[in-house]
Amino acid sequence: MTTHGILEDLALGTGVLDHSAHERRDPRLLEALLSDPATRVIEIRDGRAPVRLEGDHGELLLREPDPSDRAVLSAALGRGPDGRAYVAVLPSVDGELDDSWMTLRRAGGLLDRLDAGLFTTALALANWHASHGRCSICGSPTEPVEAGWVRRCPLDGSEHYPRTDPAVIMSVVDPEDRLLLGRSPQWPTGRFSVLAGFVEPGESLEQAVAREVAEEVGITIDEVTYLGNQPWPFPSSVMIGFAARTSQVELTLDPQEMAEAHWVTRDEYRAQLRSKQIHTPTGISIAKRIIEHWLGETVEAASQG
């Protein structure tokens, strides 16, 4: 699959997993998959999955189905490029976990495209099932159907589907090509990133970019360019990245939204990183890639000098 964004190969955003939605209509799908030794199972416990590390590469520790899997919540994740089926097993009781069990934040950047897609999808479904066990209409406990992708209320018959909350995240640059960095009141001193916020009902993605920037720092956006997107199952978002330009430089902060914000040139950004005056995103986040797109090099390279 090709994309038209500027940021290519975003972590978590270039998966090759086919969700095979048409198969979920078969009410016996999970039973059949969990009876087939060719199926591979990813187990999610406490937001973690088992991973084998070898240098800077990680591999999910997938296994054959076990008879006990049929007694716990599970979901058919789809099929890989070779047609192999994958199932997520989501036990409700977590036991002791050794160091091989890793979070997606920790392991996501080390996994290949298939494993990253499996972990991302399994975690998103696990989070949804954990927080949507009751009907939003009548409050009755719901039951998983359609291979773990729908929860149905046995009392009123309503169906409930996994939700994904779109959020925009954007670099903002001024006429001098300086980048705007901001710190949320919930973040520790020194931690800065680009601005972000959830899309509200009735607005386009570009409108959400303009509104969030205006709300948080009081400036108007003149131009918005799409960069790319990535699923972000923490717990249930998709992050849609943009580069925005403004002709305004004077900031008016909303103290509930923004504790600090300032403009930086590329040289100032590098100097603040090296002096540890600021800490900016690392790992698998699109925020890191958006900053690097403006900077022209990786954060790691800029930190070393």
Side-chain angles (χ1 to χ4, degrees):
M1 180 177 64
T2 59
T3 65
H4 300 288
I6 295 172
L7 299 180
E8 300 292 342
D9 295 326
L10 286 166
L12 313 185
T14 56
V16 294
L17 178 66
D18 179 355
H19 285 174
S20 301
H22 63 283
E23 292 190 79
R24 302 173 200 155
R25 300 168 189 161
D26 181 354
R28 299 166 297 179
L29 176 62
L30 278 174
E31 179 183 354
L33 294 180
L34 291 175
S35 300
D36 185 351
T39 299
R40 287 296 173 265
V41 169
I42 173 175
E43 193 167 338
I44 301 293
R45 292 178 179 266
D46 192 27
R48 300 168 185 262
V51 178
R52 177 190 297 113
L53 292 183
E54 294 182 4
D56 59 355
H57 176 72
E59 179 183 3
L60 286 177
L61 291 172
L62 304 173
R63 59 172 175 81
E64 292 185 9
D66 185 270
S68 63
D69 293 335
R70 302 179 198 180
V72 300
L73 178 64
S74 59
L77 300 181
R79 296 184 181 272
D82 61 356
R84 184 189 293 274
Y86 295 89
V87 172
V89 171
L90 314 171
S92 58
V93 178
D94 298 321
E96 288 293 326
L97 303 178
D98 61 33
D99 292 341
S100 68
W101 290 78
M102 299 183 187
T103 65
L104 182 59
R105 290 181 187 271
R106 167 73 176 87
L110 307 176
L111 302 175
D112 66 20
R113 295 167 68 189
L114 177 58
D115 279 4
L118 291 169
F119 200 163
T120 301
T121 306
L123 180 61
L125 287 172
N127 290 339
W128 173 67
H129 280 291
S131 58
H132 289 77
R134 289 186 174 272
C135 176
S136 60
I137 298 174
C138 70
S140 298
T142 54
E143 301 170 345
V145 294
E146 294 202 19
W149 286 79
V150 178
R151 296 193 70 95
R152 182 176 295 147
C153 178
L155 188 62
D156 62 31
S158 60
E159 293 185 342
H160 308 267
Y161 296 82
R163 61 178 294 167
T164 298
D165 302 315
V168 292
I169 181 166
M170 51 278 180
S171 59
V172 180
V173 297
D174 71 0
E176 298 179 25
D177 211 27
R178 296 183 301 174
L179 177 69
L180 179 62
L181 293 177
R183 181 176 73 83
S184 165
Q186 291 76 38
W187 292 354
T189 300
R191 179 182 172 188
F192 285 88
S193 184
V194 292
L195 307 189
F198 286 104
V199 180
E200 293 188 345
E203 67 182 359
S204 69
L205 301 178
E206 292 81 2
Q207 288 174 321
V209 170
R211 175 186 53 77
E212 284 291 341
V213 174
E215 287 178 355
E216 294 183 357
V217 296
I219 58 177
T220 301
I221 292 302
D222 302 320
E223 177 185 334
V224 177
T225 302
Y226 171 70
L227 295 179
N229 71 88
Q230 70 173 168
W232 197 246
F234 303 108
S236 58
S237 295
V238 57
M239 303 297 295
I240 307 152
F242 294 89
R245 290 191 169 273
T246 181
S247 57
Q248 301 176 344
V249 296
E250 186 169 346
L251 306 176
T252 303
L253 308 189
D254 179 344
Q256 293 186 353
E257 298 277 349
M258 195 64 53
E260 298 178 73
H262 63 276
W263 300 100
V264 290
T265 66
R266 290 172 178 81
D267 286 342
E268 289 170 342
Y269 178 82
R270 295 183 182 101
Q272 290 177 20
L273 271 182
R274 293 166 190 166
S275 66
K276 301 190 184 303
Q277 181 180 345
I278 62 172
H279 304 281
T280 54
T282 57
I284 61 175
S285 71
I286 190 175
K288 176 178 184 287
R289 293 291 303 279
I290 289 175
I291 291 174
E292 292 172 342
H293 174 67
W294 166 80
L295 185 61
E297 62 179 332
T298 66
V299 170
E300 292 79 8
S303 301
Q304 295 172 2

